[in-house]
Amino acid sequence: MFISGIGAISASGIGTENL
Amino acid sequence: SISKDALLSVKNKYDLRRADRYTAIVMASAVQACADAGFADCAMADTGIIIASSFGPHRTTFAFLNDILDYPEDQVLPTTFSHSVHNAAASYVASSLQIRGPTISLTGFEDLWFDALELSDVFLNSGCCQRIVLVGVEELALLTQSLPSILPDSFHCRLLEGSVALLLSSTPEGKNYTSITCSRRSSCGEKPDRHSSCATANDFLGGAFQTALKALASSNQPGTTISIG
């Protein structure tokens, strides 16, 4: 299977740039 | 902790007036994963939803139980009850993003992230659906915040809070970060002492973040594969 999109939320906020 | 403004913006965008905090956390990551893949605000047919969480919406569940203790049975809030159901957040994702397909909520305390990835793989390989919105989520509430002091042997460090969503597809599409495979290792003898590294609950959400990080790291190298064991 393939990863087509990523999303995340943590204390640092929403968005993959926070990962 | 997760900022209220971040959750409020998601709730406002999708008109989730009555949604609880757990639902908003799930929605924030799921919406972003779909938008990242280029499927924002459009119906996604043939798509499944799998939401994995060790503790689920336990903040809402306990709120409902507290109401049962404080008020007569016919005066507790039906809204609180409906949100205390484990699958409620998955239904919000399906409804808000107009996703049609199988909707599953998983819970467990051992290898939950692996189980969720493996189930996604089974769904995609069996032709059950073409895409899966997979969300790993943990919300902190009184119970989970107190666990290190109640059960220091099992939960010796502070639990993580957050949510990771992956849009998984059976064929390359969207951002197409990388391919991902799951292989269950046969266990011989005793399992290693997991407490020596971190609490199992943290392993779950930490594992989800690690998978997302690996996918992001591999986005510059097409054709790579992440192997989860």
Side-chain angles (χ1 to χ4, degrees):
Chain A
M1 58 185 168
F2 299 88
I3 298 179
S4 308
I6 301 172
I9 182 168
S10 67
S12 47
I14 305 176
T16 49
E17 66 273 12
N18 297 310
L19 281 170
Chain B
S1 60
I2 295 169
S3 86
K4 284 182 181 174
D5 290 344
L7 299 178
L8 201 60
S9 66
V10 177
K11 289 175 81 168
N12 287 339
K13 186 178 178 188
Y14 289 91
D15 202 17
L16 310 176
R17 200 158 55 89
R18 292 193 173 92
D20 63 356
R21 188 169 175 273
Y22 177 80
T23 300
I25 293 172
V26 170
M27 278 292 295
S29 61
V31 163
Q32 215 236 332
C34 294
D36 188 37
F39 294 106
D41 298 323
C42 65
M44 294 200 296
D46 210 12
T47 303
I49 301 169
I50 297 176
I51 299 194
S53 176
S54 290
F55 293 93
H58 67 300
R59 181 192 290 254
T60 306
T61 305
F62 285 126
F64 179 73
L65 292 174
N66 285 339
D67 282 353
I68 286 275
L69 294 173
D70 290 340
Y71 302 102
E73 201 175 272
D74 59 346
Q75 288 180 27
V76 294
L77 294 171
T79 309
T80 315
F81 171 71
S82 59
H83 287 86
S84 71
V85 176
H86 215 88
N87 210 35
S91 300
Y92 266 105
V93 174
S95 169
S96 301
L97 297 176
Q98 299 179 56
I99 292 174
R100 305 285 178 266
T103 301
I104 303 280
S105 289
L106 279 182
T107 189
F109 290 96
E110 283 186 29
D111 306 326
L112 180 56
W113 182 240
F114 180 84
D115 291 343
L117 282 169
E118 194 177 50
L119 183 62
S120 305
D121 206 18
V122 169
F123 271 28
L124 294 173
N125 283 334
S126 64
C128 188
C129 45
Q130 287 183 349
R131 297 186 198 101
I132 296 278
V133 178
L134 171 62
V135 183
V137 55
E138 217 60 86
E139 181 191 22
L140 291 187
L142 274 179
L143 171 73
T144 31
Q145 283 167 331
S146 310
L147 277 175
S149 56
I150 299 170
L151 297 167
D153 290 341
S154 301
F155 299 92
H156 66 93
C157 55
R158 196 171 177 277
L159 296 187
L160 297 168
E161 181 178 66
S163 176
V164 177
L166 302 179
L167 184 65
L168 301 166
S169 310
S170 52
T171 53
E173 60 177 358
K175 279 278 184 75
N176 189 23
Y177 287 99
T178 176
S179 68
I180 180 166
T181 59
C182 304
S183 57
R184 192 173 285 274
R185 292 176 194 139
S186 58
S187 58
C188 299
E190 289 186 9
K191 280 191 171 184
D193 182 11
R194 298 162 68 100
H195 296 161
S196 61
S197 56
C198 200
T200 52
N202 269 356
D203 285 352
F204 157 63
L205 199 57
F209 274 106
Q210 283 298 321
T211 306
L213 282 168
K214 282 182 188 172
L216 282 171
S218 69
S219 57
N220 296 329
Q221 301 160 317
T224 54
T225 299
I226 297 175
S227 188
I228 307 288

